[in-house]
PDB file of all heavy atoms in Angstrom:
ATOM      1  N   SER B 291       5.532   4.923  17.449  1.00  0.00           N
ATOM      2  CA  SER B 291       6.075   4.193  18.587  1.00  0.00           C
ATOM      3  C   SER B 291       6.000   2.709  18.289  1.00  0.00           C
ATOM      4  O   SER B 291       4.966   2.214  17.823  1.00  0.00           O
ATOM      5  CB  SER B 291       5.264   4.512  19.850  1.00  0.00           C
ATOM      6  OG  SER B 291       5.659   3.677  20.914  1.00  0.00           O
ATOM      7  N   ARG B 292       7.101   2.014  18.572  1.00  0.00           N
ATOM      8  CA  ARG B 292       7.095   0.556  18.417  1.00  0.00           C
ATOM      9  C   ARG B 292       7.815  -0.043  19.621  1.00  0.00           C
ATOM     10  O   ARG B 292       9.014  -0.316  19.589  1.00  0.00           O
ATOM     11  CB  ARG B 292       7.766   0.131  17.119  1.00  0.00           C
ATOM     12  CG  ARG B 292       7.565  -1.381  16.862  1.00  0.00           C
ATOM     13  CD  ARG B 292       7.425  -1.670  15.428  1.00  0.00           C
ATOM     14  NE  ARG B 292       7.217  -3.092  15.193  1.00  0.00           N
ATOM     15  CZ  ARG B 292       7.862  -3.768  14.258  1.00  0.00           C
ATOM     16  NH1 ARG B 292       8.752  -3.154  13.494  1.00  0.00           N
ATOM     17  NH2 ARG B 292       7.615  -5.050  14.076  1.00  0.00           N
ATOM     18  N   GLU B 293       7.053  -0.268  20.660  1.00  0.00           N
ATOM     19  CA  GLU B 293       7.584  -0.836  21.900  1.00  0.00           C
ATOM     20  C   GLU B 293       7.570  -2.357  21.895  1.00  0.00           C
ATOM     21  O   GLU B 293       8.358  -3.003  22.592  1.00  0.00           O
ATOM     22  CB  GLU B 293       6.787  -0.315  23.096  1.00  0.00           C
ATOM     23  CG  GLU B 293       6.909   1.186  23.298  1.00  0.00           C
ATOM     24  CD  GLU B 293       8.338   1.603  23.610  1.00  0.00           C
ATOM     25  OE1 GLU B 293       9.000   0.916  24.416  1.00  0.00           O
ATOM     26  OE2 GLU B 293       8.809   2.597  23.035  1.00  0.00           O
ATOM     27  N   LYS B 294       6.673  -2.938  21.115  1.00  0.00           N
ATOM     28  CA  LYS B 294       6.594  -4.391  20.967  1.00  0.00           C
ATOM     29  C   LYS B 294       6.570  -4.732  19.485  1.00  0.00           C
ATOM     30  O   LYS B 294       6.112  -3.940  18.660  1.00  0.00           O
ATOM     31  CB  LYS B 294       5.334  -4.933  21.645  1.00  0.00           C
ATOM     32  CG  LYS B 294       5.335  -4.788  23.149  1.00  0.00           C
ATOM     33  CD  LYS B 294       4.117  -5.465  23.757  1.00  0.00           C
ATOM     34  CE  LYS B 294       4.158  -5.351  25.270  1.00  0.00           C
ATOM     35  NZ  LYS B 294       2.995  -6.022  25.900  1.00  0.00           N
ATOM     36  N   LYS B 295       7.040  -5.901  19.173  1.00  0.00           N
ATOM     37  CA  LYS B 295       7.184  -6.285  17.771  1.00  0.00           C
ATOM     38  C   LYS B 295       5.848  -6.245  17.030  1.00  0.00           C
ATOM     39  O   LYS B 295       5.781  -5.891  15.862  1.00  0.00           O
ATOM     40  CB  LYS B 295       7.793  -7.688  17.678  1.00  0.00           C
ATOM     41  CG  LYS B 295       8.221  -8.078  16.275  1.00  0.00           C
ATOM     42  CD  LYS B 295       8.927  -9.427  16.294  1.00  0.00           C
ATOM     43  CE  LYS B 295       9.467  -9.770  14.914  1.00  0.00           C
ATOM     44  NZ  LYS B 295      10.166 -11.090  14.919  1.00  0.00           N
ATOM     45  N   GLU B 296       4.791  -6.631  17.716  1.00  0.00           N
ATOM     46  CA  GLU B 296       3.514  -6.772  17.029  1.00  0.00           C
ATOM     47  C   GLU B 296       2.729  -5.472  16.892  1.00  0.00           C
ATOM     48  O   GLU B 296       1.752  -5.423  16.169  1.00  0.00           O
ATOM     49  CB  GLU B 296       2.645  -7.810  17.754  1.00  0.00           C
ATOM     50  CG  GLU B 296       2.195  -7.419  19.153  1.00  0.00           C
ATOM     51  CD  GLU B 296       3.171  -7.870  20.238  1.00  0.00           C
ATOM     52  OE1 GLU B 296       4.353  -8.136  19.915  1.00  0.00           O
ATOM     53  OE2 GLU B 296       2.740  -7.924  21.407  1.00  0.00           O
ATOM     54  N   ARG B 297       3.157  -4.421  17.565  1.00  0.00           N
ATOM     55  CA  ARG B 297       2.357  -3.203  17.626  1.00  0.00           C
ATOM     56  C   ARG B 297       3.126  -1.987  17.125  1.00  0.00           C
ATOM     57  O   ARG B 297       4.258  -1.743  17.532  1.00  0.00           O
ATOM     58  CB  ARG B 297       1.900  -2.969  19.071  1.00  0.00           C
ATOM     59  CG  ARG B 297       0.929  -1.806  19.245  1.00  0.00           C
ATOM     60  CD  ARG B 297       0.551  -1.655  20.714  1.00  0.00           C
ATOM     61  NE  ARG B 297      -0.153  -2.830  21.210  1.00  0.00           N
ATOM     62  CZ  ARG B 297      -1.466  -2.991  21.181  1.00  0.00           C
ATOM     63  NH1 ARG B 297      -2.229  -2.021  20.682  1.00  0.00           N
ATOM     64  NH2 ARG B 297      -2.012  -4.072  21.659  1.00  0.00           N
ATOM     65  N   PHE B 298       2.458  -1.226  16.250  1.00  0.00           N
ATOM     66  CA  PHE B 298       3.076  -0.023  15.689  1.00  0.00           C
ATOM     67  C   PHE B 298       2.031   1.082  15.750  1.00  0.00           C
ATOM     68  O   PHE B 298       0.986   0.978  15.120  1.00  0.00           O
ATOM     69  CB  PHE B 298       3.505  -0.300  14.243  1.00  0.00           C
ATOM     70  CG  PHE B 298       4.393   0.740  13.619  1.00  0.00           C
ATOM     71  CD1 PHE B 298       5.351   1.424  14.360  1.00  0.00           C
ATOM     72  CD2 PHE B 298       4.321   1.012  12.256  1.00  0.00           C
ATOM     73  CE1 PHE B 298       6.186   2.352  13.771  1.00  0.00           C
ATOM     74  CE2 PHE B 298       5.165   1.939  11.654  1.00  0.00           C
ATOM     75  CZ  PHE B 298       6.101   2.614  12.411  1.00  0.00           C
ATOM     76  N   SER B 299       2.334   2.113  16.521  1.00  0.00           N
ATOM     77  CA  SER B 299       1.361   3.181  16.754  1.00  0.00           C
ATOM     78  C   SER B 299       1.762   4.439  15.998  1.00  0.00           C
ATOM     79  O   SER B 299       2.941   4.811  15.963  1.00  0.00           O
ATOM     80  CB  SER B 299       1.285   3.505  18.251  1.00  0.00           C
ATOM     81  OG  SER B 299       0.966   2.340  18.985  1.00  0.00           O
ATOM     82  N   LEU B 300       0.774   5.068  15.428  1.00  0.00           N
ATOM     83  CA  LEU B 300       0.965   6.360  14.765  1.00  0.00           C
ATOM     84  C   LEU B 300       0.341   7.434  15.645  1.00  0.00           C
ATOM     85  O   LEU B 300      -0.791   7.288  16.102  1.00  0.00           O
ATOM     86  CB  LEU B 300       0.306   6.365  13.387  1.00  0.00           C
ATOM     87  CG  LEU B 300       0.419   7.658  12.585  1.00  0.00           C
ATOM     88  CD1 LEU B 300       1.864   7.893  12.141  1.00  0.00           C
ATOM     89  CD2 LEU B 300      -0.510   7.614  11.363  1.00  0.00           C
ATOM     90  N   ILE B 301       1.087   8.502  15.870  1.00  0.00           N
ATOM     91  CA  ILE B 301       0.640   9.560  16.770  1.00  0.00           C
ATOM     92  C   ILE B 301       0.596  10.885  16.018  1.00  0.00           C
ATOM     93  O   ILE B 301       1.574  11.266  15.367  1.00  0.00           O
ATOM     94  CB  ILE B 301       1.601   9.682  17.970  1.00  0.00           C
ATOM     95  CG1 ILE B 301       1.707   8.341  18.693  1.00  0.00           C
ATOM     96  CG2 ILE B 301       1.112  10.765  18.944  1.00  0.00           C
ATOM     97  CD1 ILE B 301       2.983   8.148  19.457  1.00  0.00           C
ATOM     98  N   LEU B 302      -0.552  11.518  16.101  1.00  0.00           N
ATOM     99  CA  LEU B 302      -0.679  12.876  15.584  1.00  0.00           C
ATOM    100  C   LEU B 302      -0.594  13.793  16.796  1.00  0.00           C
ATOM    101  O   LEU B 302      -1.482  13.799  17.647  1.00  0.00           O
ATOM    102  CB  LEU B 302      -2.024  13.072  14.864  1.00  0.00           C
ATOM    103  CG  LEU B 302      -2.178  12.435  13.482  1.00  0.00           C
ATOM    104  CD1 LEU B 302      -2.180  10.917  13.544  1.00  0.00           C
ATOM    105  CD2 LEU B 302      -3.450  12.952  12.813  1.00  0.00           C
ATOM    106  N   GLU B 303       0.500  14.499  16.899  1.00  0.00           N
ATOM    107  CA  GLU B 303       0.781  15.278  18.111  1.00  0.00           C
ATOM    108  C   GLU B 303      -0.271  16.357  18.364  1.00  0.00           C
ATOM    109  O   GLU B 303      -0.699  16.585  19.484  1.00  0.00           O
ATOM    110  CB  GLU B 303       2.157  15.901  18.013  1.00  0.00           C
ATOM    111  CG  GLU B 303       3.299  14.875  17.911  1.00  0.00           C
ATOM    112  CD  GLU B 303       3.505  14.100  19.206  1.00  0.00           C
ATOM    113  OE1 GLU B 303       3.013  14.534  20.270  1.00  0.00           O
ATOM    114  OE2 GLU B 303       4.159  13.037  19.160  1.00  0.00           O
ATOM    115  N   SER B 304      -0.689  17.019  17.310  1.00  0.00           N
ATOM    116  CA  SER B 304      -1.716  18.058  17.406  1.00  0.00           C
ATOM    117  C   SER B 304      -2.483  18.039  16.091  1.00  0.00           C
ATOM    118  O   SER B 304      -2.039  18.616  15.094  1.00  0.00           O
ATOM    119  CB  SER B 304      -1.065  19.419  17.653  1.00  0.00           C
ATOM    120  OG  SER B 304      -2.037  20.448  17.665  1.00  0.00           O
TER     121      SER B 304
END
Side-chain angles (χ1 to χ4, degrees):
Chain B
S291 172
R292 189 145 181 226
E293 296 297 317
K294 293 185 178 181
K295 191 175 185 180
E296 66 269 20
R297 186 180 297 270
F298 192 35
S299 303
L300 180 69
I301 303 155
L302 286 67
E303 298 291 343
S304 176

